[in-house]
Amino acid sequence: MRRHYAVKDILIGPRSRNRVTWMRRLLVPLVRLITLLPASFTVRFQLRLAGRLPDQCGGLDVGYDILGRVPAITLGSIQGRRQTVVLYLHGGGFLLPAMPKAHLRFHATLCRELEAVGVMPDYRLAPLHAYPAALDDCESAYRALLDQGVSAKHIVLAGESAGGNLVLGLLQRIRKGKLPMPACAVPISAVTEMARVYAPPSRADNLKKDAMLPVLSFPRMVEGYVNGADGADPELSPIYADYRGFPPLYFLVGEDEVLLDDSLMACREAERAKVTTRLDVWPVLPHAFPLLTVWFPEARQAGRDIVEFAREHLP
């Protein structure tokens, strides 16, 4: 049975609606083209997107440092056990690096509002590094934070798209390693099914509505990351995970996303495991909309909602 859900009661203005229309016409073909490029072009594209880090973002010093055995973009510096840390796992289809104008700006907003330090692991990317490289790096970064004396109950874990997948995969690794769980976790527009391109149902139902993700290009993206592994492994497809013992989860997703059901069904599994959950389905706005406040000012409310949720569960 498909899950019934309520759409968030928020007004999306005509300018934002027009921008979604243009994204659907222009961005979806562009993303499809990128996924068709050979590996050498993908690596070249990674080089063009990476770097260009500002000295400051949101009033926080930006750094690039080693955390355990993983490089990471940092916002501020870790100084004490009781200091809040926002551990952010960026998206990009497991193919693209963190983008300063989107990921870093959003990360800085969360850190500023929570008076927190930010850590964004620069995990290894496909096609040169397939599963489990990215998840291994995220686990190493989490362990390194604990080794530096950061209290898990002061860590807010978040990520969008592929990063949302890694958030749910990391929580499984944390439980498997008998490590303390973070205060809460926020998967945004997460992809939670990597074994099937055609399912869950919203991937077909929203095929012509999604303004960013071309479902027909999913096989190439999945192939590059899964690389022969079992796509139904819960670490790859957390829709099949055992959610027992997970911290409070806050799922955000757009009603018109092809990944709508990825969030709905993962949230349902978490609820069945008696995990504290919150789910917000937004109207109109595209995939990973909380990061796109420059284009969609209404999405600033999503950032405020995430901060509110984190504050409820931090000490």
Side-chain angles (χ1 to χ4, degrees):
M1 180 180 295
R2 304 247 345 243
R3 177 192 172 95
H4 295 286
Y5 60 89
V7 178
K8 187 175 181 68
D9 183 16
I10 187 166
L11 179 64
I12 307 299
R15 180 174 296 182
S16 291
R17 290 176 180 271
N18 287 336
R19 284 174 174 163
V20 169
T21 299
W22 281 108
M23 285 180 66
R24 190 177 296 116
R25 293 174 180 173
L26 301 176
L27 191 58
V28 171
L30 176 61
V31 174
R32 184 182 300 127
L33 176 63
I34 292 171
T35 61
L36 293 175
L37 295 174
S40 59
F41 283 89
T42 302
V43 173
R44 190 179 303 175
F45 198 66
Q46 290 171 350
L47 284 168
R48 286 185 176 273
L49 289 176
R52 303 178 185 174
L53 296 175
D55 294 331
Q56 283 197 332
C57 188
L60 297 169
D61 291 335
V62 177
Y64 190 82
D65 208 346
I66 304 299
L67 193 63
R69 294 178 57 189
V70 183
I73 300 171
T74 59
L75 293 166
S77 59
I78 299 171
Q79 296 177 340
R81 177 176 175 81
R82 295 183 178 275
Q83 192 173 30
T84 300
V85 175
V86 178
L87 179 60
Y88 193 84
L89 311 182
H90 70 82
F94 305 103
L95 289 168
L96 303 179
M99 291 173 274
K101 289 185 178 180
H103 297 112
L104 194 61
R105 185 179 293 164
F106 178 66
H107 194 189
T109 297
L110 298 181
C111 291
R112 184 176 63 250
E113 295 299 321
L114 292 170
E115 298 181 359
V117 170
V119 173
M120 187 185 303
D122 190 3
Y123 58 80
R124 287 168 288 173
L125 299 170
L128 297 183
H129 300 281
Y131 169 83
L135 187 55
D136 288 347
D137 287 350
C138 294
E139 180 185 2
S140 294
Y142 188 81
R143 287 179 177 272
L145 285 175
L146 300 181
D147 291 343
Q148 289 189 20
V150 176
S151 170
K153 64 184 179 181
H154 287 270
I155 296 176
V156 176
L157 177 62
E160 102 288 348
S161 194
N165 176 287
L166 292 171
V167 163
L168 297 172
L170 177 56
L171 292 176
Q172 295 175 68
R173 289 283 186 93
I174 291 170
R175 182 180 57 201
K176 182 179 180 180
K178 298 182 180 179
L179 302 173
M181 285 287 181
C184 59
V186 185
I188 303 166
S189 297
V191 53
T192 66
E193 160 64 271
M194 298 283 281
R196 296 165 181 81
V197 172
Y198 58 86
S202 63
R203 297 192 181 182
D205 296 344
N206 289 346
L207 180 64
K208 295 183 179 181
K209 296 179 182 178
D210 196 300
M212 189 178 296
L213 297 183
V215 175
L216 298 179
S217 298
F218 275 23
R220 183 69 180 270
M221 290 186 283
V222 169
E223 181 183 23
Y225 180 62
V226 175
N227 194 31
D230 180 6
D233 185 319
E235 284 193 358
L236 280 164
S237 295
I239 200 172
Y240 307 117
D242 176 1
Y243 286 78
R244 287 178 295 181
F246 278 20
L249 298 175
Y250 180 18
F251 294 87
L252 295 94
V253 67
E255 183 184 21
D256 292 338
E257 290 193 52
V258 292
L259 298 180
L260 170 63
D261 282 344
D262 285 59
S263 287
L264 297 183
M265 295 179 70
C267 183
R268 180 175 63 193
E269 293 304 305
E271 289 174 344
R272 286 173 173 170
K274 309 300 182 184
V275 173
T276 299
T277 61
R278 174 174 171 179
L279 168 69
D280 276 352
V281 178
W282 275 63
V284 181
L285 299 189
H287 178 70
F289 58 88
L291 282 69
L292 306 177
T293 54
V294 172
W295 292 351
F296 307 106
E298 298 91 343
R300 292 172 187 153
Q301 182 59 48
R304 291 191 286 267
D305 292 342
I306 292 170
V307 168
E308 175 189 7
F309 178 81
R311 284 175 177 160
E312 289 175 0
H313 300 287
L314 286 166

